[in-house]
């Protein structure tokens, strides 16, 4: 399979997977035009769309794409039904496309119905897990997002995290401000600064790598708890995550 990211809107990525015959899967098409251009230039034939949640920057292109390709299967959580999802899926369901079977994982937090799709090594996680960060809590609670992170963190380290926004630089800037003496974060921040200065793409990233540089996956870290002034022993397990998200919101 060939994995491609299509830049869209301000900082979105629309992900595609295609086989050697040119059949193609599309993930979270926030707009149609760049997808149509990519299909035409490569001679690809889309067969399905996977939607992670209902926000328009992930669903805005569905209607037009379905007009161009009427036989498209469109999978998504219940909250995307009004945005064009034709087959509603939820936790534990399986979606088979292009010979790949994706497991549907309910990952609420950013929205209440948000889902992710996993078929080794690909993880399409929308606005849940970002490189170096996590999605904003528009509808869910910190505890829900923490639980969603724990689900995703159970996947193999070689998992390719295909998230939907180019937020890595801002996330690493925040992480470096919280733990300025952490050598892994410091080195990664400099690497990402150099890459983005040349307009390079920072995604996909591997889950094993995220475990070292993403503070939202390091909430048991004693140094992080101290930096956030979180009680090391008495707080609920998701409290550090909540404080970290509050600080990122205000950063």
């Amino acid at each position: 399979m060939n994995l491609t990211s299509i830049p869209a809107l301000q900082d979105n990525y629309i992900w595609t997977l295609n086989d050697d015959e040119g059949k193609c899967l599309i993930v979270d098409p926030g707009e149609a035009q760049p997808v149509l251009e990519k299909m035409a230039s490569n001679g690809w034939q889309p067969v399905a769309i996977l939607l992670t949640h209902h926000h328009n920057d992930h669903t805005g292109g569905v209607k037009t794409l379905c007009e161009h390709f009427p036989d498209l299967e469109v999978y998504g959580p219940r909250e995307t039904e009004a945005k064009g999802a034709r087959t509603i899926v939820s936790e534990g369901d399986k979606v088979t496309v292009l010979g790949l079977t994706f497991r549907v994982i309910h990952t609420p937090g950013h929205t209440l119905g948000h889902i992710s799709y996993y078929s080794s090594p690909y993880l399409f996680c929308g606005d849940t897990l970002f490189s170096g960060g996590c999605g904003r809590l528009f509808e869910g609670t910190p505890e829900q997002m923490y639980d969603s992170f724990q689900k995703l963190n159970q996947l193999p380290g070689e998992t390719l995290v295909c998230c939907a926004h180019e937020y890595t630089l801002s996330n690493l800037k925040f992480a470096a401000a919280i733990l300025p003496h952490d050598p892994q974060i410091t080195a990664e921040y400099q690497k990402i600064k150099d890459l983005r200065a040349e307009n390079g793409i920072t995604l996909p990233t591997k889950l094993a790598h995220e475990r070292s540089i993403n503070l939202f996956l390091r909430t048991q870290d004693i140094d992080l708890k101290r930096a956030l002034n979180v009680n090391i022993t008495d707080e609920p397990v998701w409290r550090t995550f909540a404080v970290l998200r509050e600080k990122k919101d205000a950063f």
Side-chain angles (χ1 to χ4, degrees), residues 121-154:
Y122 310 106
L123 172 66
F124 298 112
C125 52
D127 286 359
T128 298
L129 169 64
F130 292 124
S131 183
C134 84
R136 285 184 178 270
L137 305 180
F138 286 115
E139 298 175 12
T141 66
E143 185 173 7
Q144 285 176 314
M145 186 66 103
Y146 173 84
D147 290 341
S148 294
F149 262 58
Q150 302 318 299
K151 286 183 184 179
L152 298 183
N153 200 26
Q154 293 173 14

Side-chain angles (χ1 to χ4, degrees), residues 88-95 101-105:
I88 304 304
V89 292
S90 57
E91 173 77 34
D93 286 344
K94 304 290 178 62
V95 174
T101 298
F102 289 89
R103 174 161 60 95
V104 177
I105 307 170

Side-chain angles (χ1 to χ4, degrees), residues 18-226:
N18 72 281
D19 62 18
D20 292 337
E21 297 177 353
K23 293 181 180 178
C24 182
L25 163 69
I26 303 164
V27 184
D28 282 353
E31 58 178 339
Q33 191 58 37
V35 178
L36 293 172
E37 291 172 0
K38 184 67 73 172
M39 298 298 109
S41 64
N42 288 284
W44 292 345
Q45 178 66 32
V47 297
I49 294 174
L50 303 183
L51 301 177
T52 61
H53 64 291
H54 67 83
H55 288 161
N56 199 57
D57 64 325
H58 295 250
T59 62
V62 172
K63 182 176 183 292
T64 298
L65 289 172
C66 287
E67 290 171 351
H68 280 79
F69 306 101
D71 295 331
L72 270 177
E73 291 285 347
V74 185
Y75 300 90
R78 179 67 61 187
E79 65 178 40
T80 62
E81 189 170 22
K83 299 299 184 75
R86 296 170 175 175
T87 301
I88 304 304
V89 292
S90 57
E91 173 77 34
D93 286 344
K94 304 290 178 62
V95 174
T96 300
V97 184
L98 302 179
L100 299 176
T101 298
F102 289 89
R103 174 161 60 95
V104 177
I105 307 170
H106 185 213
T107 48
H110 184 67
T111 68
L112 291 177
H114 196 297
I115 60 175
S116 300
Y117 300 86
Y118 172 69
S119 179
S120 179
Y122 310 106
L123 172 66
F124 298 112
C125 52
D127 286 359
T128 298
L129 169 64
F130 292 124
S131 183
C134 84
R136 285 184 178 270
L137 305 180
F138 286 115
E139 298 175 12
T141 66
E143 185 173 7
Q144 285 176 314
M145 186 66 103
Y146 173 84
D147 290 341
S148 294
F149 262 58
Q150 302 318 299
K151 286 183 184 179
L152 298 183
N153 200 26
Q154 293 173 14
L155 299 175
E158 291 301 302
T159 297
L160 292 177
V161 178
C162 304
C163 48
H165 289 275
E166 183 58 77
Y167 288 165
T168 312
L169 181 58
S170 62
N171 288 337
L172 267 294
K173 182 178 181 181
F174 169 70
I178 297 295
L179 293 181
H181 304 297
D182 185 293
Q184 292 173 302
I185 288 174
T186 300
E188 184 70 7
Y189 181 36
Q190 186 58 55
K191 173 186 170 184
I192 296 301
K193 280 198 293 186
D194 294 342
L195 182 60
R196 291 301 294 157
E198 298 181 356
N199 203 33
I201 295 173
T202 67
L203 302 168
T205 179
K206 288 189 176 181
L207 185 58
H209 179 61
E210 289 303 306
R211 288 169 179 152
S212 67
I213 58 97
N214 191 324
L215 295 184
F216 292 92
L217 289 170
R218 290 175 49 179
T219 52
Q220 301 305 313
D221 189 317
I222 299 302
D223 289 337
L224 177 60
K225 288 176 180 287
R226 287 172 176 156

